Amino acid sequence: MKHWINGEDVPAETTLDVVNPANGTVVAHMPLGTPEDVDRAVAAATKALPAWAATSPQERAKRLKALAHELRERNEELAQAISTEIGAPISLARAAQAGLPPLVADSTADLAAGFAWTETVGTSLVVREPVGVVGVITPWNFPLQQIMTKLAPALLAGNTVVAKPAELAPTSMPILAAAVKAAEIPDGVVNIVYGTGPVVGEAIAKHPGIDMVSFTGSTAVGKRISVLAAETVKRVALELGGKSASVVLDDAGLQLAVERTLTTAWTNSGQVCGAWSRMIVPATRRDEILDLLTKAAEDYRLGDPSEETTRLGPLASETQWTRVNNHVERGLEQGATLVLGGPGRVPGLEHGAYFRPTILADVHPDSALAQEEIFGPVLSVLTYTDEDEAVAIANNSVYGLTGAVFGEPARALAIARRLRTGQVDVNEGQFNVLAPFGGYKQSGNGREFGYLGVEEFTEVKSIQR
């Protein structure tokens, strides 16, 4: 594995081991980049920018379509790489980790024809142009998907990119680079520099040659990036943490609410920023819902991620295992009731970062379990007595990324409107790749997906005539 700058492999003097969390074996060696590597990548992106920005949106869309095709051709290679580096079950890796990125590239390309690249407002011509060189910094939980969510709209808008993947999950990036090359995207338009956040990430955030930073990750790191980027007054888009609520009304179909909440809470072993990790239920139906949750949990097989029947693999690292375990232990000490799972090593799976899928009841709304992002397969169940209390509990968070409401459709929609969060599913509402995604409060700023996701990567110029 080497940095990929201006369409060429660039070696590094030192590397970092990439570890399979299922068994602790070293599976790759990631280059440790330097600020000088970032300088080289920014220079390449700057040189490539004028020609790429001058191409038509239709041509840029054509290249994105080609990239989507190349990624689909590499689905199994990508799925195996990502499953090995973060422990995602292979079925999830094929369907989501490797399956969603080409969908994002395709759907973004389709926006080119109808996007308002220019419009007339009175006597003015309003033009949307590329921001310039964009720095992209992404997390390890959905490594390729998070890159593509930013890369596709940035490229369609005519920008060039310097990307830093997470150090835990870099092995899909050489495959992406090969796909970019095969899609005939010009050299220098996409550049990849590996390394740690404090070195490469910070160099990107404060680099005077980078015009915008788009970051997905923790709120703490997002705040740090904002501070660094302020030195050069560059634009910053942030998709940060979440502590999302699934609100179950007293007239809800409980089976649907339970199945959908568990799926969202435990997908990718709960390592999803938009996970519905708080289930807010009527006090009068608490016991019934806990029984249904316990039964539904039987379908979640924890085990070797390479096996087709595995639904939950290990957490992405031993560090993450310790963090999740500490959260659960502290929650139990503070009075939560253990319904399922719990802390400690899993018998028979002691040599990997495996954590039992866990359900905790009687969680206080102000407790750490209800307030802090755990990023593991842990569902906290909280009770309420009336709708106003349910809304207050759901909104009692510094975060506001996603959420759900289950109940009679009109009533559930009314509750959804009251939630201070960027995206809400009502009953069987499904993921829409064209709908804007992003958070309120400390879950970030800016939006991804759809036309708003493309607008994020444009500057607006008014030409008075």
Side-chain angles (χ1 to χ4, degrees), residues 155-381:
L155 295 187
L156 182 65
N159 302 281
T160 56
V161 172
V162 175
K164 188 204 90 67
E167 49 264 42
L168 278 180
T171 62
S172 62
M173 293 301 102
I175 307 170
L176 171 63
V180 168
K181 195 81 166 180
E184 298 181 1
I185 294 172
D187 293 344
V189 171
V190 179
N191 306 274
I192 301 169
V193 180
Y194 303 91
T196 64
V199 177
V200 173
E202 294 208 358
I204 289 173
K206 64 187 180 183
H207 200 289
I210 288 180
D211 303 289
M212 173 183 175
V213 175
S214 181
F215 169 76
T216 296
S218 72
T219 297
V221 175
K223 292 176 180 178
R224 174 64 177 165
I225 286 172
S226 296
V227 170
L228 293 171
E231 296 176 6
T232 50
V233 200
K234 57 170 58 72
R235 183 182 303 182
V236 178
L238 302 172
E239 198 269 277
L240 306 176
K243 192 66 182 178
S244 300
S246 171
V247 179
V248 182
L249 302 180
D250 56 15
D251 58 1
L254 296 188
Q255 193 64 42
L256 174 66
V258 162
E259 291 178 356
R260 289 211 63 201
T261 300
L262 270 190
T263 296
T264 307
W266 288 352
T267 291
N268 207 39
S269 294
Q271 298 166 128
V272 181
C273 58
W276 303 341
S277 55
R278 293 181 297 151
M279 191 174 191
I280 302 171
V281 308
T284 55
R285 307 196 74 176
R286 169 194 179 277
D287 294 346
E288 184 182 1
I289 289 170
L290 291 179
D291 286 343
L292 289 172
L293 283 168
T294 303
K295 291 174 183 176
E298 294 174 0
D299 293 335
Y300 287 79
R301 179 178 178 272
L302 177 67
D304 186 341
S306 67
E307 296 180 3
E308 298 289 343
T309 57
T310 293
R311 198 162 178 186
L312 294 174
L315 297 177
S317 68
E318 283 296 322
T319 299
Q320 189 64 16
W321 186 94
T322 300
R323 183 176 183 273
V324 173
N325 194 71
N326 288 344
H327 269 292
V328 174
E329 287 183 338
R330 182 173 55 165
L332 293 172
E333 291 169 359
Q334 293 177 348
T337 300
L338 182 63
V339 178
L340 183 77
R345 293 290 175 178
V346 181
L349 296 171
E350 297 91 343
H351 300 296
Y354 292 93
F355 195 87
R356 297 175 185 85
T358 296
I359 299 172
L360 298 166
D362 307 317
V363 174
H364 192 278
D366 294 328
S367 68
L369 278 177
Q371 292 294 322
E372 298 178 11
E373 187 176 37
I374 297 174
F375 229 56
V378 179
L379 177 65
S380 296
V381 180

Side-chain angles (χ1 to χ4, degrees), residues 34-45:
T34 65
E36 290 72 28
D37 293 316
V38 174
D39 288 341
R40 284 189 281 271
V42 171

